[in-house]
Amino acid sequence: MAVYTHLGSEQIAALIAPYEVGTLLSAKGIAEGVSNSNWLVETTGADGEGARFILTMYERRIALDDLPYFLGLLDHLSARGCAVPRTIHDREGARFRMVDGKAAALIEFLPGISPDEPSAAQAHALGAALAQMHLAGRDFPLERANAMGLVENCATLEACGSEALARIDADLPAMIGPARAAAALDTGGLPRAHIHADLFPDNVLMLGDSVSGMIDFYFACTDTMALDLATTHAAWAFGPDNRYRPAIGASLINGYETVRSLERAERALLPELAKGACLRFVASRAEDWLDTPDDALVTRKDPMEFVARWHYYDETGQDSFA
């Protein structure tokens, strides 16, 4: 279970007391997520008719200095009609509060279900929602560097070292070379925006074929829009057997372009950006694998899953984005 900090009902009630959300009715830990502690909180609501929220306590990989960017971006996008949860401000206007040295935020609860096997219609809707998000964030004034960009991913794999990577899988050290090539990729001429950077199916809520929520913006940053689209493509377009699903990949791209047309340079670089996106998850999963004790009650994620996806993009090139 991904709740790293235990909070009793009295503590949670005291934590939400400074908010105009009514009194606490229940709080249930949420198992999903690996970086934060999360609870589904139910209250009487400010109007007495009941309300739901997500309470998040930030545990790891998230710097306190980044929270104004993450939470401010949520509010900015929500105010512009994007399917993004807004933050709940306390009576003093603060977006988060400190509890025993850790930051905690109360976030709007959005209805919907994350698809295990997205349909083409759902992928099309997500593509459009992603493009809408890119355009809606153009006037958000803050910026944040991509801490898991192409250069950073290469550095992570190199820091792991070939010997340690080989203990995970004998073929894994061979990905250091491609990571160096990705780090050298020139993306300076591509249009930039505020990007999600981690839009896996479990970070998307759907009501039928409509996107009701894009959540977990804690890798969001300022980077190229095409990289965000390529990352989403790599996350969505492969089935449970890790085989490419052409209808999903095509629908995602087509949905995106119903809202924002890709520039020629962006389309030309999509295969290389998708390979770079795969390497991002290869690197982070390898690092987490090596950092996780053998007796930890955590299921490690296999970096070789995205090695296989890297090979697919390397072999097919533009055919994956036709």
Side-chain angles (χ1 to χ4, degrees):
M1 184 162 181
V3 175
Y4 302 96
T5 297
H6 175 73
L7 293 179
S9 58
E10 295 85 357
Q11 292 170 295
I12 293 177
L15 197 159
I16 69 170
Y19 297 85
E20 292 287 355
V21 295
T23 56
L24 181 68
L25 293 176
S26 68
K28 181 179 180 182
I30 300 173
E32 289 81 4
V34 296
S35 297
N36 306 314
S37 295
N38 297 285
W39 296 263
L40 174 60
V41 172
E42 295 192 46
T43 75
T44 57
D47 56 4
E49 295 186 3
R52 285 182 165 189
F53 306 93
I54 301 297
L55 173 63
T56 296
M57 179 168 284
Y58 301 98
E59 303 281 0
R60 57 191 291 264
R61 273 192 176 157
I62 296 174
L64 187 62
D65 289 347
D66 284 332
L67 282 182
Y69 174 85
F70 293 142
L71 302 179
L73 182 60
L74 288 180
D75 286 347
H76 181 93
L77 296 173
S78 177
R80 282 154 180 77
C82 295
V84 169
R86 63 187 175 91
T87 66
I88 308 302
H89 297 200
D90 68 16
R91 293 184 183 92
E92 297 178 354
R95 290 188 173 101
F96 65 92
R97 300 181 64 82
M98 300 301 298
V99 180
D100 295 332
K102 296 180 180 180
L106 201 60
I107 309 292
E108 179 184 18
F109 174 84
L110 295 178
I113 297 173
S114 297
D116 292 326
E117 295 186 43
S119 67
Q122 289 174 328
H124 189 277
L126 178 64
L130 180 62
Q132 180 193 9
M133 187 199 83
H134 286 165
L135 296 179
R138 287 178 296 182
D139 57 342
F140 181 62
L142 303 182
E143 290 197 357
R144 178 180 181 268
N146 189 349
M148 304 188 81
L150 303 177
V151 173
E152 289 76 11
N153 299 333
C154 178
T156 297
L157 278 177
E158 289 179 331
C160 289
S162 295
E163 184 177 340
L165 292 174
R167 293 201 298 269
I168 301 173
D169 191 284
D171 293 332
L172 191 51
M175 300 311 296
I176 294 178
R180 289 171 177 159
L185 193 64
D186 182 8
T187 63
L190 301 184
R192 295 164 63 85
H194 299 287
I195 70 172
H196 185 284
D198 196 45
L199 206 53
F200 277 78
D202 60 0
N203 284 334
V204 179
L205 303 174
M206 309 289 304
L207 289 174
D209 293 334
S210 299
V211 177
S212 58
M214 294 179 286
I215 60 175
D216 268 3
F217 273 72
Y218 303 115
F219 291 103
C221 56
T222 314
D223 209 327
T224 61
M225 291 182 272
L227 176 60
D228 206 18
L229 179 59
T231 302
T232 307
H233 194 276
W236 274 65
F238 294 81
D241 56 1
N242 214 31
R243 291 186 180 182
Y244 183 67
R245 301 175 66 194
I248 302 299
S251 294
L252 179 72
I253 301 295
N254 292 339
Y256 187 90
E257 292 205 284
T258 62
V259 176
R260 176 185 172 266
S261 296
L262 290 166
E263 296 182 3
R264 182 177 299 178
E266 291 178 293
R267 185 171 284 279
L269 279 178
L270 277 177
E272 294 303 316
L273 293 171
K275 288 161 62 177
C278 290
L279 288 165
R280 174 261 179 94
F281 299 113
V282 171
S284 62
R285 288 183 175 195
E287 182 179 51
D288 284 348
W289 187 293
L290 295 172
D291 287 346
T292 301
D294 290 337
D295 59 352
L297 298 177
V298 175
T299 301
R300 291 169 165 141
K301 293 185 177 180
D302 187 1
M304 300 308 292
E305 179 183 10
F306 276 90
V307 170
R309 298 185 191 191
W310 183 93
H311 282 293
Y312 179 84
Y313 287 121
D314 189 51
E315 293 164 5
T316 60
Q318 284 291 347
D319 290 345
S320 301
F321 301 95

